[in-house]
Amino acid sequence: MLHYGHLVRILHCCTSQTMTEALSSMDLTSAQGHLMGFLAHCENPPCARDIEEAFHLSHPTVSGLLSRLEKKEFLELRPDSEDRRCKRIYMLPKGKECIEVMDRTILDNEERFVRGFTKEEKEQFAAYLTRAIRNMGQRAEPFPHKEDNF
């Protein structure tokens, strides 16, 4: 019997492994990479609370992630001009380099796992994955798009 979840998990592990390898060269964990990817998709600099809500993480977990990324000079926390209790998160040039590495790795992964597919098969594959995700009650987009109100 074919178990789709097992196949999806194997594909996820394959792509995660290549991303982990790419990020390790920058001394980043996958959790830190996910956070950087989130920041890249925000139109306005978010605050820690936005990250807590988007990732369903506790305040101490987000604070630790942000602190380590700030020490590694991937981002900077600055007080909000209207609310001094809130610190906004700004990506630094090193953070932008991280996004470039992640984007290249994502493109390489996607190219590898549809290698040998026809154009029609690629479109069907994307449609099937999107439908399966929706069937599970989720959205297929990883982050809110810049045009969405975040």
Side-chain angles (χ1 to χ4, degrees), residues 11-25 101-102 104-106 108-110 112-113:
L11 186 57
H12 170 73
C13 289
C14 293
T15 58
S16 291
Q17 182 178 352
T18 57
M19 184 61 76
T20 297
E21 290 167 5
L23 291 175
S24 70
S25 70
V101 167
M102 290 175 62
R104 273 194 312 274
T105 303
I106 290 167
D108 289 348
N109 278 338
E110 290 179 353
R112 285 176 65 192
F113 66 71

Side-chain angles (χ1 to χ4, degrees), residues 6-141:
H6 179 70
L7 296 173
V8 170
R9 187 176 184 332
I10 291 170
L11 186 57
H12 170 73
C13 289
C14 293
T15 58
S16 291
Q17 182 178 352
T18 57
M19 184 61 76
T20 297
E21 290 167 5
L23 291 175
S24 70
S25 70
M26 299 188 81
D27 191 30
L28 291 174
T29 66
S30 67
Q32 292 169 333
H34 283 293
L35 194 149
M36 295 303 296
F38 174 80
L39 293 177
H41 288 86
C42 291
E43 185 173 330
N44 297 311
C47 63
R49 189 176 311 109
D50 298 326
I51 293 168
E52 292 166 22
E53 291 172 7
F55 289 94
H56 307 287
L57 295 173
S58 69
H59 180 73
T61 299
V62 171
S63 293
L65 281 167
L66 293 174
S67 175
R68 285 185 289 282
L69 286 166
E70 188 173 34
K71 284 179 187 167
K72 294 177 184 183
E73 299 179 345
F74 285 94
L75 56 82
E76 181 177 62
L77 302 174
R78 299 181 204 151
D80 186 291
S81 60
E82 297 175 16
D83 182 356
R84 294 300 226 187
R85 296 170 297 170
C86 174
K87 290 188 177 180
R88 295 283 168 191
I89 304 160
Y90 293 84
M91 193 178 303
L92 296 175
K94 194 172 173 182
K96 291 177 180 154
E97 289 175 30
C98 167
I99 298 305
E100 291 171 10
V101 167
M102 290 175 62
D103 286 346
R104 273 194 312 274
T105 303
I106 290 167
L107 289 174
D108 289 348
N109 278 338
E110 290 179 353
E111 187 177 293
R112 285 176 65 192
F113 66 71
V114 295
R115 189 174 294 142
F117 285 28
T118 65
K119 182 180 181 207
E120 292 78 21
E121 288 171 330
K122 290 175 186 178
E123 290 170 3
Q124 286 177 329
F125 185 59
Y128 292 148
L129 290 173
T130 300
R131 189 180 337 158
I133 291 165
R134 287 188 184 134
N135 287 347
M136 297 303 291
Q138 296 294 318
R139 292 176 53 193
E141 298 81 25

